[in-house]
Amino acid sequence: MPTAIIADDERLMRDQLRMRLGQVWPELEIIGEAKNGDEAIELVDQLKPDFTFLDIRMPGKTGMEAATVIGNKSNIVFVTAYDAYAVEAFERGAVDYVLKPPEQERLQITVDRLKTRLNKPAADVNASVTAMLSQLAEKIATPKPAYLQWIQASIGQDLRMIPVEEILFFRSDEKYTCVQTERYEALIRKPVRDLAEELDPALFWQIHRATLVNVNAIEGVTRDIRGRHLVMIKGKPDKLEVSRSFLHLFKQM
């Protein structure tokens, strides 16, 4: 059986990629997961996987840096959200790539390519990675934007400082935005369109022009008798409508 490891600092992304690979290549055995480049290097040495899926940007050693150390010990597949500038570079290289979020059609192309490499020695990726780094280093090195860490919200006559990770969802009406946590509901005047620009998009998905939801609070998606897609929230009776333009976020579910 072909084997692989997945390296990504975001658990949700690892889970999504594992699930998608299981759909398009059920014979592939995921034998390990890493949260950064250093862990990926260790797993390659210990487990000797046929393929290593490396997120480009991770804490510690990045995926690009890890790939230069891994060399020809495993076939490298980069996982990247930077389709606007990375695809051409990857197409010219000796490695393959997967775009975030992993879409089944594009992942199938990658899998077909990887299958042809199973009986061949892994390519030494150092030259290819060096060439890519010269093109991508500036953008890869750009620090992540400073997203909101706290929300100041009103509960009656009181003001609360709410850590964003405790917020299940934001839902706006004409005047206020409701901030829903597991324990209470608060109000702010900032509209969802502004919050969407200030919150980490990996943590909060906009699913409607008036709704943002914490991805860690999503229990699943259902459909009502009218055919609308509704997000179910863990431990809550709330069901949040998903606009048609945001349905693509849930293709992997």
Side-chain angles (χ1 to χ4, degrees):
M1 270 181 100
T3 58
I5 65 168
I6 297 172
D8 195 306
D9 61 316
E10 298 178 13
R11 182 191 57 78
L12 181 64
M13 288 297 126
R14 296 198 303 271
D15 291 346
Q16 288 180 352
L17 183 55
R18 176 188 284 270
M19 180 185 68
R20 279 299 190 193
L21 284 168
Q23 292 171 344
V24 299
W25 198 0
E27 298 84 8
L28 181 67
E29 183 181 3
I30 307 300
I31 57 176
E33 294 186 7
K35 299 187 293 294
N36 54 58
D38 294 304
E39 290 184 7
I41 292 168
E42 291 180 10
L43 283 180
V44 169
D45 287 337
Q46 293 171 10
L47 305 178
K48 298 177 174 52
D50 296 305
F51 303 101
T52 298
F53 291 82
L54 286 171
D55 183 22
I56 284 185
R57 179 187 283 172
M58 293 184 288
K61 276 189 172 63
T62 67
M64 300 288 270
E65 293 167 335
T68 63
V69 178
I70 292 170
N72 60 0
K73 298 176 185 176
S74 178
N75 287 288
I76 301 296
V77 184
F78 284 118
V79 183
T80 175
Y82 306 109
D83 57 311
Y85 65 85
V87 171
E88 183 180 354
F90 289 133
E91 291 284 13
R92 292 200 301 265
V95 295
D96 214 310
Y97 66 96
V98 173
L99 294 178
K100 290 184 180 183
E103 297 287 347
Q104 185 168 346
E105 184 176 350
R106 178 60 185 83
L107 192 56
Q108 184 65 63
I109 294 172
T110 295
V111 165
D112 291 342
R113 291 176 179 174
L114 298 184
K115 287 180 178 178
T116 65
R117 300 186 192 176
L118 277 175
N119 297 319
K120 300 177 182 178
D124 189 332
V125 301
N126 287 330
S128 296
V129 170
T130 300
M132 287 183 224
L133 276 172
S134 66
Q135 299 176 53
L136 310 180
E138 181 177 346
K139 293 179 180 177
I140 293 172
T142 301
K144 292 183 179 180
Y147 297 118
L148 287 178
Q149 300 298 312
W150 301 82
I151 296 291
Q152 182 174 291
S154 299
I155 303 177
Q157 300 300 312
D158 298 326
L159 282 177
R160 293 279 185 93
M161 293 294 291
I162 308 172
V164 294
E165 63 266 20
E166 293 182 7
I167 298 170
L168 304 179
F169 60 84
F170 297 86
R171 185 161 49 186
S172 292
D173 58 20
E174 293 181 359
K175 191 174 181 181
Y176 295 102
T177 295
C178 166
V179 181
Q180 183 67 59
T181 73
E182 187 175 348
R183 295 180 292 119
Y184 52 81
E185 177 181 297
L187 296 174
I188 58 175
R189 290 184 178 272
K190 190 185 292 285
V192 160
R193 66 175 179 272
D194 292 342
L195 287 166
E197 296 177 358
E198 298 174 8
L199 291 164
D200 186 349
L203 180 61
F204 284 92
W205 287 356
Q206 184 168 8
I207 61 171
H208 188 278
R209 62 181 177 81
T211 311
L212 287 164
V213 63
N214 186 326
V215 296
N216 296 317
I218 296 175
E219 183 174 20
V221 181
T222 187
R223 297 179 70 175
D224 64 9
I225 59 175
R226 295 167 54 190
R228 297 179 304 171
H229 288 76
L230 304 174
V231 167
M232 297 178 290
I233 302 298
K234 294 176 182 176
K236 291 288 182 181
D238 305 78
K239 290 184 172 62
L240 309 176
E241 183 177 354
V242 183
S243 296
R244 186 182 301 273
S245 56
F246 296 106
L247 284 176
H248 66 278
L249 294 169
F250 301 94
K251 285 183 179 179
Q252 65 269 21
M253 291 188 174

